[in-house]
Amino acid sequence: MIASIVTAGAGIVIAIMAYWLNHRGEVHRSLRKERINWVSSQLKDLYGPLLVLAETNERAWREYRRAYFPPDPGESPEGSLTESVSMRWHVWVETVFAPRAQQIREIVTARGDLIIEREMPAVVLDFCAHAATYDALLADWDTAANDSTLIRHPGSGFLSYVRESYITLKTEQEELLRSSRP
């Protein structure tokens, strides 16, 4: 009789342990799946588009500078522009730089909840403020005394932030996917 009670008790303990371990594994798998989905959303909806647009804008800016402002120590592109240079600058701002900056600002505004950090990074806010000044510049383009935005572009810090964040998330995504394979 004692042997049957011990056997029954052992069976119950084994069943409870199996249930607990299975439940714990399911919770762990569920949390990992949610994390994979979150990281994938950060990449697909925020950092991926930001990286493409920021890289595109940076490459266009470098090519523009190379083609139209070759390095000449005696001439500064910040000075007053000739009429033909000013017209070319207007075309580039209206068709390349301002639209990309506005797209970036719209993505950040719409999907800022996917930012990695706890708070919005200053470099992202600086870029968005720069992009917002294009609205005023383009609205008053023909009468403006100045051909540049009121708030300057934050420089390479913005692109570096986007690149590093994308790489960090891509690495995490790869690790999560690798660890979820049987």
Side-chain angles (χ1 to χ4, degrees):
M1 173 122 165
I2 292 179
S4 62
I5 292 175
V6 169
T7 304
I12 291 171
V13 169
I14 290 172
I16 290 172
M17 286 180 58
Y19 172 78
W20 181 77
L21 289 172
N22 186 43
H23 176 70
R24 187 172 168 205
E26 285 300 317
V27 167
H28 184 68
R29 279 187 289 280
S30 177
L31 291 174
R32 187 174 350 156
K33 185 174 189 239
E34 286 179 33
R35 183 66 187 160
I36 290 170
N37 290 340
W38 177 254
V39 169
S40 295
S41 182
Q42 286 177 300
L43 286 166
K44 178 177 68 85
D45 298 330
L46 182 64
Y47 288 101
L50 286 183
L51 183 59
V52 170
L53 290 169
E55 285 280 1
T56 301
N57 228 27
E58 179 63 24
R59 289 176 186 193
W61 171 247
R62 275 185 300 195
E63 189 59 26
Y64 176 83
R65 294 269 306 188
R66 186 197 63 73
Y68 301 119
F69 290 107
D72 180 0
E75 185 180 322
S76 169
E78 303 300 326
S80 61
L81 304 175
T82 66
E83 188 174 333
S84 66
V85 171
S86 180
M87 287 175 58
R88 184 181 313 116
W89 173 242
H90 284 218
V91 169
W92 275 77
V93 167
E94 289 174 340
T95 60
V96 180
F97 303 128
R100 292 316 150 270
Q102 299 299 12
Q103 286 176 300
I104 290 170
R105 184 179 72 166
E106 289 168 9
I107 290 168
V108 169
T109 302
R111 299 311 321 241
D113 61 314
L114 296 174
I115 289 285
I116 295 171
E117 293 78 10
R118 199 172 180 88
E119 293 184 19
M120 188 66 66
V123 72
V124 174
L125 294 174
D126 291 344
F127 184 89
C128 289
H130 164 72
T133 63
Y134 274 122
D135 296 340
L137 177 68
L138 294 174
D140 193 29
W141 196 247
D142 296 328
T143 61
N146 192 353
D147 277 345
S148 65
T149 57
L150 185 59
I151 298 174
R152 298 190 58 81
H153 188 284
S156 62
F158 178 72
L159 182 56
S160 293
Y161 166 76
V162 174
R163 278 182 188 151
E164 290 167 13
S165 298
Y166 182 86
I167 290 168
T168 298
L169 287 170
K170 199 67 179 157
T171 301
E172 182 179 355
Q173 182 189 48
E174 289 168 359
E175 290 171 4
L176 287 165
L177 290 172
R178 192 172 25 257
S179 70
S180 68
R181 291 187 186 123

